[in-house]
Amino acid sequence: MTRAVRTARRAAAPTAPASAFATDVIAGLTAKPKRLSPKYFYDLAGSALFDRITQLPEYYPTRCELALLQDNAPAIASLFPAGCALIEFGGGSSRKARILLGAAATVEAYVPVDITKAFALPPAVARLPRVGFFPGSTIGNFEPHEACQFLRHAGAVLGAGAVFLVGVDLVKDAKVLYRAYNDAEGVTAKFNLNLLARINRELGGDFNLGAFEHHAFYNTQQHRIEMHLASTRRQKVRVNGATIDFRAGETIHTENSYKYTIESFQALARGSGWSPLNVWSDGMVSIHALQKTVVG
Ligand code: AVI
């Protein structure tokens, strides 16, 4: 029987204190070029919009990863050591973890942890062998050097010999990628613009949401979708006592979503202390099983 050990709130909940949010927003809006961290997308309204994104016909990653997990659950679960703890990084609905838990008879504990906060494993879990789980292609929202740091940190938390399952979105036809981030219903645009609405709500900003547009495109050189908010005109915006000037067409860079090939992700994993064990893919997304490299 699996025990659910909750150590942290779900990743989608607002995580940073207002002062950190205010500091980051002012730093990002006064930087050149302007930028905001994608971690601030996920307030209550942003999390609800992201849930809608995952159900859009154009947004294939969630659907494909669920099907891949379902189709390969017994093979994936066969890598789990008996009596292990399944540690999900950034656990949200736990829908994907439940597929694995259904196929792995001997998991002792399921532990979702918030990736935006430092944490220690509960003592009851610390003595168990560990399997890490980081689904959803969220690793693609890190810059490659941050992805490497994250994989190293996960290696330290999971310990020697651990297995780590990582969901990774794949490089593919640019048109398919474009549509996934420019859906016909405009939900992704709302998700992007909600960042400005959040600044208005929480920091007393006066962004006119009608004067900014959602821009998302595939950067073929960097293998990433870039999301921006483009100012449709020259304007001034007040945020937390500061005045921010925008030129017409100037953008705030709000997100990168890196796409990997199977080989390029395996190379990143190797360079971050993990050895590729196996990989499952439908050609759209991939699930990598990695094993912590034993330094000897
Ligand atoms: C959470 N993350 C993997 C999503 C992605 O595809 O990069 C966030 C997202 N941004 C726009 N649509 C979805």
Side-chain angles (χ1 to χ4, degrees), residues 146-182:
E146 295 170 338
C148 178
Q149 278 167 9
F150 170 78
L151 288 170
R152 286 198 177 279
H153 169 69
V157 169
L158 295 172
V163 171
F164 197 13
L165 301 167
V166 185
V168 181
D169 195 11
L170 294 175
V171 170
K172 60 182 64 64
D173 183 348
K175 288 199 279 305
V176 174
L177 286 168
Y178 180 87
R179 281 196 287 268
Y181 294 84
N182 290 280

PDB file of all heavy atoms in Angstrom, residues 146-182:
ATOM      1  N   GLU A 146      20.653  25.664 -16.332  1.00  0.00           N
ATOM      2  CA  GLU A 146      19.800  25.467 -15.146  1.00  0.00           C
ATOM      3  C   GLU A 146      19.282  24.033 -15.099  1.00  0.00           C
ATOM      4  O   GLU A 146      19.132  23.456 -14.015  1.00  0.00           O
ATOM      5  CB  GLU A 146      18.591  26.406 -15.191  1.00  0.00           C
ATOM      6  CG  GLU A 146      18.919  27.875 -15.091  1.00  0.00           C
ATOM      7  CD  GLU A 146      17.708  28.763 -15.385  1.00  0.00           C
ATOM      8  OE1 GLU A 146      16.742  28.314 -16.061  1.00  0.00           O
ATOM      9  OE2 GLU A 146      17.731  29.917 -14.949  1.00  0.00           O
ATOM     10  N   ALA A 147      19.003  23.458 -16.272  1.00  0.00           N
ATOM     11  CA  ALA A 147      18.552  22.060 -16.330  1.00  0.00           C
ATOM     12  C   ALA A 147      19.646  21.160 -15.767  1.00  0.00           C
ATOM     13  O   ALA A 147      19.371  20.206 -15.013  1.00  0.00           O
ATOM     14  CB  ALA A 147      18.207  21.672 -17.763  1.00  0.00           C
ATOM     15  N   CYS A 148      20.899  21.490 -16.113  1.00  0.00           N
ATOM     16  CA  CYS A 148      22.043  20.714 -15.608  1.00  0.00           C
ATOM     17  C   CYS A 148      22.130  20.843 -14.085  1.00  0.00           C
ATOM     18  O   CYS A 148      22.265  19.843 -13.371  1.00  0.00           O
ATOM     19  CB  CYS A 148      23.297  21.252 -16.319  1.00  0.00           C
ATOM     20  SG  CYS A 148      24.788  20.480 -15.803  1.00  0.00           S
ATOM     21  N   GLN A 149      21.988  22.084 -13.576  1.00  0.00           N
ATOM     22  CA  GLN A 149      22.013  22.291 -12.107  1.00  0.00           C
ATOM     23  C   GLN A 149      20.871  21.532 -11.438  1.00  0.00           C
ATOM     24  O   GLN A 149      21.043  20.925 -10.389  1.00  0.00           O
ATOM     25  CB  GLN A 149      21.810  23.779 -11.780  1.00  0.00           C
ATOM     26  CG  GLN A 149      23.051  24.619 -11.880  1.00  0.00           C
ATOM     27  CD  GLN A 149      22.710  26.120 -11.859  1.00  0.00           C
ATOM     28  OE1 GLN A 149      21.583  26.535 -11.616  1.00  0.00           O
ATOM     29  NE2 GLN A 149      23.708  26.933 -12.140  1.00  0.00           N
ATOM     30  N   PHE A 150      19.684  21.565 -12.062  1.00  0.00           N
ATOM     31  CA  PHE A 150      18.524  20.878 -11.487  1.00  0.00           C
ATOM     32  C   PHE A 150      18.789  19.367 -11.423  1.00  0.00           C
ATOM     33  O   PHE A 150      18.508  18.713 -10.418  1.00  0.00           O
ATOM     34  CB  PHE A 150      17.256  21.171 -12.295  1.00  0.00           C
ATOM     35  CG  PHE A 150      16.104  20.303 -11.893  1.00  0.00           C
ATOM     36  CD1 PHE A 150      15.378  20.574 -10.743  1.00  0.00           C
ATOM     37  CD2 PHE A 150      15.775  19.166 -12.634  1.00  0.00           C
ATOM     38  CE1 PHE A 150      14.342  19.742 -10.333  1.00  0.00           C
ATOM     39  CE2 PHE A 150      14.746  18.337 -12.231  1.00  0.00           C
ATOM     40  CZ  PHE A 150      14.022  18.627 -11.080  1.00  0.00           C
ATOM     41  N   LEU A 151      19.340  18.809 -12.530  1.00  0.00           N
ATOM     42  CA  LEU A 151      19.604  17.361 -12.561  1.00  0.00           C
ATOM     43  C   LEU A 151      20.638  16.994 -11.498  1.00  0.00           C
ATOM     44  O   LEU A 151      20.545  15.947 -10.847  1.00  0.00           O
ATOM     45  CB  LEU A 151      20.080  16.938 -13.953  1.00  0.00           C
ATOM     46  CG  LEU A 151      19.001  16.938 -15.052  1.00  0.00           C
ATOM     47  CD1 LEU A 151      19.630  16.750 -16.430  1.00  0.00           C
ATOM     48  CD2 LEU A 151      17.959  15.848 -14.789  1.00  0.00           C
ATOM     49  N   ARG A 152      21.627  17.852 -11.299  1.00  0.00           N
ATOM     50  CA  ARG A 152      22.645  17.588 -10.263  1.00  0.00           C
ATOM     51  C   ARG A 152      22.016  17.648  -8.865  1.00  0.00           C
ATOM     52  O   ARG A 152      22.292  16.808  -8.014  1.00  0.00           O
ATOM     53  CB  ARG A 152      23.791  18.611 -10.358  1.00  0.00           C
ATOM     54  CG  ARG A 152      24.688  18.359 -11.533  1.00  0.00           C
ATOM     55  CD  ARG A 152      26.036  19.064 -11.399  1.00  0.00           C
ATOM     56  NE  ARG A 152      26.830  18.701 -12.551  1.00  0.00           N
ATOM     57  CZ  ARG A 152      27.508  17.573 -12.675  1.00  0.00           C
ATOM     58  NH1 ARG A 152      27.513  16.685 -11.679  1.00  0.00           N
ATOM     59  NH2 ARG A 152      28.186  17.304 -13.766  1.00  0.00           N
ATOM     60  N   HIS A 153      21.161  18.633  -8.659  1.00  0.00           N
ATOM     61  CA  HIS A 153      20.487  18.779  -7.361  1.00  0.00           C
ATOM     62  C   HIS A 153      19.599  17.554  -7.103  1.00  0.00           C
ATOM     63  O   HIS A 153      19.608  16.985  -6.003  1.00  0.00           O
ATOM     64  CB  HIS A 153      19.657  20.066  -7.368  1.00  0.00           C
ATOM     65  CG  HIS A 153      18.732  20.188  -6.207  1.00  0.00           C
ATOM     66  ND1 HIS A 153      19.169  20.378  -4.917  1.00  0.00           N
ATOM     67  CD2 HIS A 153      17.362  20.119  -6.134  1.00  0.00           C
ATOM     68  CE1 HIS A 153      18.124  20.420  -4.110  1.00  0.00           C
ATOM     69  NE2 HIS A 153      17.014  20.263  -4.821  1.00  0.00           N
ATOM     70  N   ALA A 154      18.862  17.128  -8.145  1.00  0.00           N
ATOM     71  CA  ALA A 154      17.999  15.946  -7.996  1.00  0.00           C
ATOM     72  C   ALA A 154      18.853  14.722  -7.669  1.00  0.00           C
ATOM     73  O   ALA A 154      18.462  13.877  -6.857  1.00  0.00           O
ATOM     74  CB  ALA A 154      17.196  15.723  -9.271  1.00  0.00           C
ATOM     75  N   GLY A 155      20.038  14.644  -8.281  1.00  0.00           N
ATOM     76  CA  GLY A 155      20.956  13.530  -8.004  1.00  0.00           C
ATOM     77  C   GLY A 155      21.364  13.512  -6.540  1.00  0.00           C
ATOM     78  O   GLY A 155      21.431  12.457  -5.906  1.00  0.00           O
ATOM     79  N   ALA A 156      21.603  14.709  -5.982  1.00  0.00           N
ATOM     80  CA  ALA A 156      22.004  14.795  -4.568  1.00  0.00           C
ATOM     81  C   ALA A 156      20.840  14.378  -3.671  1.00  0.00           C
ATOM     82  O   ALA A 156      21.028  13.686  -2.667  1.00  0.00           O
ATOM     83  CB  ALA A 156      22.456  16.212  -4.245  1.00  0.00           C
ATOM     84  N   VAL A 157      19.622  14.763  -4.030  1.00  0.00           N
ATOM     85  CA  VAL A 157      18.442  14.420  -3.214  1.00  0.00           C
ATOM     86  C   VAL A 157      18.124  12.931  -3.320  1.00  0.00           C
ATOM     87  O   VAL A 157      17.806  12.273  -2.331  1.00  0.00           O
ATOM     88  CB  VAL A 157      17.215  15.243  -3.681  1.00  0.00           C
ATOM     89  CG1 VAL A 157      15.929  14.737  -3.043  1.00  0.00           C
ATOM     90  CG2 VAL A 157      17.414  16.724  -3.391  1.00  0.00           C
ATOM     91  N   LEU A 158      18.232  12.391  -4.534  1.00  0.00           N
ATOM     92  CA  LEU A 158      17.791  11.004  -4.754  1.00  0.00           C
ATOM     93  C   LEU A 158      18.849   9.996  -4.318  1.00  0.00           C
ATOM     94  O   LEU A 158      18.517   8.878  -3.923  1.00  0.00           O
ATOM     95  CB  LEU A 158      17.421  10.804  -6.228  1.00  0.00           C
ATOM     96  CG  LEU A 158      16.213  11.627  -6.696  1.00  0.00           C
ATOM     97  CD1 LEU A 158      16.016  11.523  -8.202  1.00  0.00           C
ATOM     98  CD2 LEU A 158      14.941  11.178  -5.976  1.00  0.00           C
ATOM     99  N   GLY A 159      20.112  10.361  -4.391  1.00  0.00           N
ATOM    100  CA  GLY A 159      21.173   9.508  -3.847  1.00  0.00           C
ATOM    101  C   GLY A 159      21.717   8.491  -4.827  1.00  0.00           C
ATOM    102  O   GLY A 159      21.193   8.291  -5.933  1.00  0.00           O
ATOM    103  N   ALA A 160      22.804   7.843  -4.386  1.00  0.00           N
ATOM    104  CA  ALA A 160      23.549   6.904  -5.234  1.00  0.00           C
ATOM    105  C   ALA A 160      22.640   5.803  -5.773  1.00  0.00           C
ATOM    106  O   ALA A 160      21.809   5.264  -5.039  1.00  0.00           O
ATOM    107  CB  ALA A 160      24.688   6.291  -4.426  1.00  0.00           C
ATOM    108  N   GLY A 161      22.792   5.493  -7.036  1.00  0.00           N
ATOM    109  CA  GLY A 161      22.064   4.375  -7.639  1.00  0.00           C
ATOM    110  C   GLY A 161      20.620   4.680  -7.979  1.00  0.00           C
ATOM    111  O   GLY A 161      19.920   3.828  -8.539  1.00  0.00           O
ATOM    112  N   ALA A 162      20.152   5.872  -7.647  1.00  0.00           N
ATOM    113  CA  ALA A 162      18.723   6.196  -7.865  1.00  0.00           C
ATOM    114  C   ALA A 162      18.376   6.172  -9.348  1.00  0.00           C
ATOM    115  O   ALA A 162      19.232   6.371 -10.208  1.00  0.00           O
ATOM    116  CB  ALA A 162      18.412   7.570  -7.294  1.00  0.00           C
ATOM    117  N   VAL A 163      17.085   5.931  -9.596  1.00  0.00           N
ATOM    118  CA  VAL A 163      16.553   6.025 -10.962  1.00  0.00           C
ATOM    119  C   VAL A 163      15.770   7.336 -11.035  1.00  0.00           C
ATOM    120  O   VAL A 163      15.101   7.727 -10.076  1.00  0.00           O
ATOM    121  CB  VAL A 163      15.622   4.823 -11.250  1.00  0.00           C
ATOM    122  CG1 VAL A 163      14.878   5.006 -12.571  1.00  0.00           C
ATOM    123  CG2 VAL A 163      16.422   3.524 -11.262  1.00  0.00           C
ATOM    124  N   PHE A 164      15.869   8.008 -12.179  1.00  0.00           N
ATOM    125  CA  PHE A 164      15.148   9.277 -12.366  1.00  0.00           C
ATOM    126  C   PHE A 164      14.410   9.205 -13.699  1.00  0.00           C
ATOM    127  O   PHE A 164      15.013   8.927 -14.741  1.00  0.00           O
ATOM    128  CB  PHE A 164      16.164  10.432 -12.375  1.00  0.00           C
ATOM    129  CG  PHE A 164      15.553  11.809 -12.160  1.00  0.00           C
ATOM    130  CD1 PHE A 164      14.249  11.972 -11.719  1.00  0.00           C
ATOM    131  CD2 PHE A 164      16.318  12.958 -12.373  1.00  0.00           C
ATOM    132  CE1 PHE A 164      13.708  13.235 -11.507  1.00  0.00           C
ATOM    133  CE2 PHE A 164      15.779  14.227 -12.164  1.00  0.00           C
ATOM    134  CZ  PHE A 164      14.475  14.363 -11.724  1.00  0.00           C
ATOM    135  N   LEU A 165      13.103   9.454 -13.678  1.00  0.00           N
ATOM    136  CA  LEU A 165      12.268   9.460 -14.902  1.00  0.00           C
ATOM    137  C   LEU A 165      11.964  10.915 -15.256  1.00  0.00           C
ATOM    138  O   LEU A 165      11.383  11.638 -14.434  1.00  0.00           O
ATOM    139  CB  LEU A 165      10.957   8.723 -14.649  1.00  0.00           C
ATOM    140  CG  LEU A 165      11.100   7.265 -14.214  1.00  0.00           C
ATOM    141  CD1 LEU A 165       9.768   6.744 -13.685  1.00  0.00           C
ATOM    142  CD2 LEU A 165      11.588   6.426 -15.389  1.00  0.00           C
ATOM    143  N   VAL A 166      12.369  11.313 -16.447  1.00  0.00           N
ATOM    144  CA  VAL A 166      12.207  12.723 -16.843  1.00  0.00           C
ATOM    145  C   VAL A 166      11.446  12.795 -18.173  1.00  0.00           C
ATOM    146  O   VAL A 166      11.844  12.166 -19.162  1.00  0.00           O
ATOM    147  CB  VAL A 166      13.587  13.414 -16.987  1.00  0.00           C
ATOM    148  CG1 VAL A 166      13.402  14.916 -17.274  1.00  0.00           C
ATOM    149  CG2 VAL A 166      14.443  13.216 -15.735  1.00  0.00           C
ATOM    150  N   GLY A 167      10.357  13.561 -18.187  1.00  0.00           N
ATOM    151  CA  GLY A 167       9.581  13.779 -19.417  1.00  0.00           C
ATOM    152  C   GLY A 167      10.167  14.956 -20.189  1.00  0.00           C
ATOM    153  O   GLY A 167      10.369  16.026 -19.610  1.00  0.00           O
ATOM    154  N   VAL A 168      10.415  14.742 -21.466  1.00  0.00           N
ATOM    155  CA  VAL A 168      11.109  15.759 -22.273  1.00  0.00           C
ATOM    156  C   VAL A 168      10.381  15.929 -23.605  1.00  0.00           C
ATOM    157  O   VAL A 168      10.121  14.945 -24.315  1.00  0.00           O
ATOM    158  CB  VAL A 168      12.583  15.320 -22.536  1.00  0.00           C
ATOM    159  CG1 VAL A 168      13.314  16.373 -23.357  1.00  0.00           C
ATOM    160  CG2 VAL A 168      13.316  15.064 -21.217  1.00  0.00           C
ATOM    161  N   ASP A 169      10.084  17.169 -23.968  1.00  0.00           N
ATOM    162  CA  ASP A 169       9.451  17.430 -25.267  1.00  0.00           C
ATOM    163  C   ASP A 169      10.524  17.405 -26.361  1.00  0.00           C
ATOM    164  O   ASP A 169      11.660  17.825 -26.147  1.00  0.00           O
ATOM    165  CB  ASP A 169       8.740  18.784 -25.242  1.00  0.00           C
ATOM    166  CG  ASP A 169       7.769  18.948 -26.399  1.00  0.00           C
ATOM    167  OD1 ASP A 169       7.501  17.943 -27.100  1.00  0.00           O
ATOM    168  OD2 ASP A 169       7.279  20.072 -26.617  1.00  0.00           O
ATOM    169  N   LEU A 170      10.123  16.898 -27.531  1.00  0.00           N
ATOM    170  CA  LEU A 170      11.103  16.672 -28.602  1.00  0.00           C
ATOM    171  C   LEU A 170      11.062  17.752 -29.679  1.00  0.00           C
ATOM    172  O   LEU A 170      10.001  18.325 -29.969  1.00  0.00           O
ATOM    173  CB  LEU A 170      10.836  15.307 -29.259  1.00  0.00           C
ATOM    174  CG  LEU A 170      11.060  14.089 -28.360  1.00  0.00           C
ATOM    175  CD1 LEU A 170      10.647  12.807 -29.086  1.00  0.00           C
ATOM    176  CD2 LEU A 170      12.520  13.983 -27.910  1.00  0.00           C
ATOM    177  N   VAL A 171      12.213  17.993 -30.288  1.00  0.00           N
ATOM    178  CA  VAL A 171      12.306  18.818 -31.496  1.00  0.00           C
ATOM    179  C   VAL A 171      11.400  18.171 -32.547  1.00  0.00           C
ATOM    180  O   VAL A 171      11.401  16.948 -32.701  1.00  0.00           O
ATOM    181  CB  VAL A 171      13.769  18.822 -32.012  1.00  0.00           C
ATOM    182  CG1 VAL A 171      13.856  19.465 -33.396  1.00  0.00           C
ATOM    183  CG2 VAL A 171      14.699  19.541 -31.024  1.00  0.00           C
ATOM    184  N   LYS A 172      10.625  18.988 -33.236  1.00  0.00           N
ATOM    185  CA  LYS A 172       9.713  18.444 -34.257  1.00  0.00           C
ATOM    186  C   LYS A 172       9.376  19.531 -35.266  1.00  0.00           C
ATOM    187  O   LYS A 172       9.902  20.662 -35.168  1.00  0.00           O
ATOM    188  CB  LYS A 172       8.457  17.858 -33.606  1.00  0.00           C
ATOM    189  CG  LYS A 172       7.669  18.898 -32.801  1.00  0.00           C
ATOM    190  CD  LYS A 172       6.461  18.310 -32.127  1.00  0.00           C
ATOM    191  CE  LYS A 172       6.778  17.266 -31.087  1.00  0.00           C
ATOM    192  NZ  LYS A 172       7.549  17.807 -29.936  1.00  0.00           N
ATOM    193  N   ASP A 173       8.491  19.213 -36.196  1.00  0.00           N
ATOM    194  CA  ASP A 173       8.013  20.152 -37.209  1.00  0.00           C
ATOM    195  C   ASP A 173       7.656  21.497 -36.545  1.00  0.00           C
ATOM    196  O   ASP A 173       6.822  21.550 -35.633  1.00  0.00           O
ATOM    197  CB  ASP A 173       6.766  19.523 -37.864  1.00  0.00           C
ATOM    198  CG  ASP A 173       6.200  20.373 -38.996  1.00  0.00           C
ATOM    199  OD1 ASP A 173       6.605  21.546 -39.142  1.00  0.00           O
ATOM    200  OD2 ASP A 173       5.337  19.835 -39.726  1.00  0.00           O
ATOM    201  N   ALA A 174       8.263  22.565 -37.041  1.00  0.00           N
ATOM    202  CA  ALA A 174       8.072  23.897 -36.434  1.00  0.00           C
ATOM    203  C   ALA A 174       6.606  24.319 -36.449  1.00  0.00           C
ATOM    204  O   ALA A 174       6.160  25.047 -35.551  1.00  0.00           O
ATOM    205  CB  ALA A 174       8.933  24.926 -37.155  1.00  0.00           C
ATOM    206  N   LYS A 175       5.835  23.841 -37.426  1.00  0.00           N
ATOM    207  CA  LYS A 175       4.412  24.239 -37.506  1.00  0.00           C
ATOM    208  C   LYS A 175       3.620  23.621 -36.343  1.00  0.00           C
ATOM    209  O   LYS A 175       2.727  24.252 -35.790  1.00  0.00           O
ATOM    210  CB  LYS A 175       3.794  23.794 -38.841  1.00  0.00           C
ATOM    211  CG  LYS A 175       4.300  24.626 -40.026  1.00  0.00           C
ATOM    212  CD  LYS A 175       3.392  24.509 -41.227  1.00  0.00           C
ATOM    213  CE  LYS A 175       3.624  23.255 -42.051  1.00  0.00           C
ATOM    214  NZ  LYS A 175       4.981  23.003 -42.557  1.00  0.00           N
ATOM    215  N   VAL A 176       3.958  22.385 -36.017  1.00  0.00           N
ATOM    216  CA  VAL A 176       3.269  21.706 -34.901  1.00  0.00           C
ATOM    217  C   VAL A 176       3.602  22.433 -33.592  1.00  0.00           C
ATOM    218  O   VAL A 176       2.723  22.682 -32.749  1.00  0.00           O
ATOM    219  CB  VAL A 176       3.704  20.220 -34.835  1.00  0.00           C
ATOM    220  CG1 VAL A 176       3.120  19.525 -33.613  1.00  0.00           C
ATOM    221  CG2 VAL A 176       3.302  19.494 -36.121  1.00  0.00           C
ATOM    222  N   LEU A 177       4.886  22.796 -33.443  1.00  0.00           N
ATOM    223  CA  LEU A 177       5.302  23.531 -32.242  1.00  0.00           C
ATOM    224  C   LEU A 177       4.616  24.892 -32.188  1.00  0.00           C
ATOM    225  O   LEU A 177       4.111  25.302 -31.137  1.00  0.00           O
ATOM    226  CB  LEU A 177       6.828  23.722 -32.251  1.00  0.00           C
ATOM    227  CG  LEU A 177       7.641  22.466 -31.940  1.00  0.00           C
ATOM    228  CD1 LEU A 177       9.116  22.686 -32.252  1.00  0.00           C
ATOM    229  CD2 LEU A 177       7.466  22.060 -30.482  1.00  0.00           C
ATOM    230  N   TYR A 178       4.573  25.576 -33.314  1.00  0.00           N
ATOM    231  CA  TYR A 178       3.961  26.912 -33.365  1.00  0.00           C
ATOM    232  C   TYR A 178       2.499  26.838 -32.908  1.00  0.00           C
ATOM    233  O   TYR A 178       2.055  27.626 -32.069  1.00  0.00           O
ATOM    234  CB  TYR A 178       4.060  27.477 -34.788  1.00  0.00           C
ATOM    235  CG  TYR A 178       3.450  28.852 -34.908  1.00  0.00           C
ATOM    236  CD1 TYR A 178       4.207  29.993 -34.639  1.00  0.00           C
ATOM    237  CD2 TYR A 178       2.095  29.005 -35.238  1.00  0.00           C
ATOM    238  CE1 TYR A 178       3.643  31.257 -34.715  1.00  0.00           C
ATOM    239  CE2 TYR A 178       1.520  30.265 -35.311  1.00  0.00           C
ATOM    240  CZ  TYR A 178       2.298  31.387 -35.053  1.00  0.00           C
ATOM    241  OH  TYR A 178       1.728  32.630 -35.115  1.00  0.00           O
ATOM    242  N   ARG A 179       1.770  25.864 -33.450  1.00  0.00           N
ATOM    243  CA  ARG A 179       0.333  25.760 -33.122  1.00  0.00           C
ATOM    244  C   ARG A 179       0.108  25.441 -31.639  1.00  0.00           C
ATOM    245  O   ARG A 179      -0.863  25.899 -31.040  1.00  0.00           O
ATOM    246  CB  ARG A 179      -0.336  24.700 -33.994  1.00  0.00           C
ATOM    247  CG  ARG A 179      -0.641  25.208 -35.402  1.00  0.00           C
ATOM    248  CD  ARG A 179      -1.640  24.308 -36.103  1.00  0.00           C
ATOM    249  NE  ARG A 179      -1.035  23.044 -36.503  1.00  0.00           N
ATOM    250  CZ  ARG A 179      -0.477  22.819 -37.693  1.00  0.00           C
ATOM    251  NH1 ARG A 179      -0.463  23.777 -38.610  1.00  0.00           N
ATOM    252  NH2 ARG A 179       0.051  21.648 -37.977  1.00  0.00           N
ATOM    253  N   ALA A 180       1.032  24.663 -31.057  1.00  0.00           N
ATOM    254  CA  ALA A 180       0.870  24.281 -29.646  1.00  0.00           C
ATOM    255  C   ALA A 180       0.933  25.495 -28.720  1.00  0.00           C
ATOM    256  O   ALA A 180       0.394  25.468 -27.611  1.00  0.00           O
ATOM    257  CB  ALA A 180       1.931  23.260 -29.253  1.00  0.00           C
ATOM    258  N   TYR A 181       1.594  26.568 -29.175  1.00  0.00           N
ATOM    259  CA  TYR A 181       1.755  27.763 -28.331  1.00  0.00           C
ATOM    260  C   TYR A 181       0.984  28.967 -28.899  1.00  0.00           C
ATOM    261  O   TYR A 181       1.115  30.078 -28.404  1.00  0.00           O
ATOM    262  CB  TYR A 181       3.249  28.075 -28.155  1.00  0.00           C
ATOM    263  CG  TYR A 181       3.947  26.989 -27.366  1.00  0.00           C
ATOM    264  CD1 TYR A 181       4.413  25.819 -27.994  1.00  0.00           C
ATOM    265  CD2 TYR A 181       4.100  27.089 -25.983  1.00  0.00           C
ATOM    266  CE1 TYR A 181       5.017  24.804 -27.273  1.00  0.00           C
ATOM    267  CE2 TYR A 181       4.704  26.081 -25.257  1.00  0.00           C
ATOM    268  CZ  TYR A 181       5.158  24.942 -25.899  1.00  0.00           C
ATOM    269  OH  TYR A 181       5.750  23.941 -25.157  1.00  0.00           O
ATOM    270  N   ASN A 182       0.217  28.710 -29.965  1.00  0.00           N
ATOM    271  CA  ASN A 182      -0.640  29.750 -30.566  1.00  0.00           C
ATOM    272  C   ASN A 182      -1.992  29.118 -30.872  1.00  0.00           C
ATOM    273  O   ASN A 182      -2.421  29.050 -32.022  1.00  0.00           O
ATOM    274  CB  ASN A 182      -0.009  30.293 -31.854  1.00  0.00           C
ATOM    275  CG  ASN A 182       1.232  31.127 -31.585  1.00  0.00           C
ATOM    276  OD1 ASN A 182       1.140  32.291 -31.220  1.00  0.00           O
ATOM    277  ND2 ASN A 182       2.403  30.521 -31.740  1.00  0.00           N
TER     278      ASN A 182
END
